[in-house]
Each structure stands twice: as C-alpha cells, then as structure tokens.
Amino acid sequence: WIMDLAHKAKQVLAVGSCAAYGGITAAGGNPSEACGLQYSGPKPGGLLGEGFFCPSGLPVINIAGCPIHPNWVVETMLQLVHGEMSTSDLDDLNRPRSYADHLVHHGCLRNEYYEFKASAEKPSDLGCLMEHMGCLGTQAHADCNTRLWNGEGSCLRGGYACINCTAAGFEEPGHSFHQTPKIAGIPIGLPTDMPKAWFVALASLSKAATPARLK
C-alpha cells in the first residue's frame, strides 16, 4: 500500500526515525526486516529505493526523531504548501534543515558545566553529561533545547542524556545509551562543531579553570 501510494503522492514524508531509517523497529538483528521509506539505517535504499523522487522533484523528506517534535511536522508541511521546500532545504540524510542544522547542545541548560568540563558521573549530578554519561547533544542534529517540548521541556532538561534519536542507526550505539565510550580516557564521539585537537586542548585548560561553584 505504501509503495503504491508513494508513487501517486505529490510529496512523501517519513515521520519519525522508524519511518525514515528503520529506527528501534530495526534493532536487535532486525528479524522483521524493518527499513525506512528511502533508507535502511544510514544507507540509501529502503522500501522505495535510492532513486525515488516525488513529482515535485523531492526525495522522501525524513522528519526523523524518536519521537519527533510536532512543530517539525507542521513547519515542514507549511514549507511544502507554500512551495518553499527544495532539495537545498534538506541535509545529507534528507532531514529538514529548519531543525537539523541545529545541535541539541545549543541551548542546553548544562552548557556552563560543558564549557568548564565539569562532568556528571551519575544521573543525579548537575554536571555535563557528555564525558561520562553518554550524552550526544554535541553531535545530535535537532533544536530540542531551543524549540522546547510543550514550551518548556527537553530530554536534557529532564536530566536525561541525549541519545541522538534523529540520526540513522541511533538504536544500535554498540554500548549502553548512558555510557560514553573512550580511548585513552578521551571520548570517541567528540563535538562536531570544533576540531578534535582543539577540543582536547581546551578541555584540559577548562578543567584547570573550573570555578568552585561548578565542581
């Protein structure tokens, strides 16, 4: 049914990470052979195939997230209705750039802890969750902390580390969601908005300058 409808539709939207990439449904060996509409995990393909385009000239628009922010859907639909959506408005995973050009890290209330590398070591700590607690907010493409849920909430504001649920393959990180994998004490997944060498150098300086109130 989806295949038949997609080839008749003017636009095709995959709403949620399962529809976009397979998501949680594709985890654990994927016995149900779940896939996204135009992706299987991070690889193009999926149900409709890499070469699928709507009559409008757009591929499947992947409004990824688990769950998605309802405003992402409304905003994308408004862009389509007004003819303001083109391929340049989609990122490399065909997510709308209106939210995917941001990082979850932007607007996080724990950013002062992050700047001084004052890190939480257990869930009840107030520090940054990146170094030890598995937070991927510095790599996750979404505006969760600037476009708040119900006007006031987000995972990080609730004390939970970001698991990068808008990314293809987030469901299989290869380790506990609340664990930060490291090599020689340095987190493997470093922020995407600065060179790794800079981050490592600045981290050591920041820790040395951490104010007592943040320790």
Side-chain angles (χ1 to χ4, degrees), residues 192-205:
T192 58
D193 55 354
M194 68 186 307
K196 292 184 178 181
W198 292 12
F199 178 84
V200 173
L202 289 171
S204 59
L205 292 173

Side-chain angles (χ1 to χ4, degrees), residues 61-122:
I61 299 170
N62 292 322
I63 307 178
C66 190
I68 50 89
H69 194 300
N71 283 9
W72 299 344
V73 179
V74 174
E75 187 169 76
T76 301
M77 293 178 72
L78 283 172
Q79 284 182 275
L80 290 170
V81 167
H82 290 289
E84 296 174 354
M85 175 73 76
S86 67
T87 53
S88 64
D89 296 306
L90 303 175
D91 74 355
D92 57 351
L93 287 171
N94 289 343
R95 298 172 295 195
R97 294 179 60 188
S98 57
Y99 77 88
D101 273 1
H102 302 266
L103 292 176
V104 172
H105 172 61
H106 300 153
C108 176
L109 294 183
R110 297 176 183 242
N111 275 350
E112 189 175 22
Y113 293 101
Y114 166 81
E115 295 297 337
F116 285 103
K117 304 301 173 282
S119 299
E121 296 185 3
K122 58 183 185 297

Side-chain angles (χ1 to χ4, degrees), residues 26-214:
N30 195 10
S32 64
E33 299 181 358
C35 65
L37 288 185
Q38 205 167 11
Y39 277 82
S40 290
K43 297 180 180 179
L47 176 69
L48 300 176
E50 183 177 0
F52 173 83
F53 285 89
C54 304
S56 63
L58 292 170
V60 174
I61 299 170
N62 292 322
I63 307 178
C66 190
I68 50 89
H69 194 300
N71 283 9
W72 299 344
V73 179
V74 174
E75 187 169 76
T76 301
M77 293 178 72
L78 283 172
Q79 284 182 275
L80 290 170
V81 167
H82 290 289
E84 296 174 354
M85 175 73 76
S86 67
T87 53
S88 64
D89 296 306
L90 303 175
D91 74 355
D92 57 351
L93 287 171
N94 289 343
R95 298 172 295 195
R97 294 179 60 188
S98 57
Y99 77 88
D101 273 1
H102 302 266
L103 292 176
V104 172
H105 172 61
H106 300 153
C108 176
L109 294 183
R110 297 176 183 242
N111 275 350
E112 189 175 22
Y113 293 101
Y114 166 81
E115 295 297 337
F116 285 103
K117 304 301 173 282
S119 299
E121 296 185 3
K122 58 183 185 297
S124 59
D125 290 346
L126 294 177
C128 177
L129 301 174
M130 186 198 82
E131 186 176 6
H132 305 301
M133 300 297 295
C135 183
L136 297 174
T138 57
Q139 303 164 56
H141 290 267
D143 56 5
C144 302
N145 282 306
T146 53
R147 191 195 314 237
L148 299 175
W149 297 71
N150 294 324
E152 61 183 29
S154 70
C155 293
L156 283 161
R157 289 188 178 215
Y160 296 92
C162 171
I163 61 173
N164 197 9
C165 71
T166 63
F170 85 94
E171 69 278 0
E172 298 279 19
H175 54 82
S176 166
F177 281 117
H178 289 151
Q179 172 190 355
T180 302
K182 302 174 186 177
I183 295 178
I186 299 173
I188 294 174
L190 293 178
T192 58
D193 55 354
M194 68 186 307
K196 292 184 178 181
W198 292 12
F199 178 84
V200 173
L202 289 171
S204 59
L205 292 173
S206 297
K207 284 194 174 186
T210 304
R213 62 188 171 79
L214 297 179

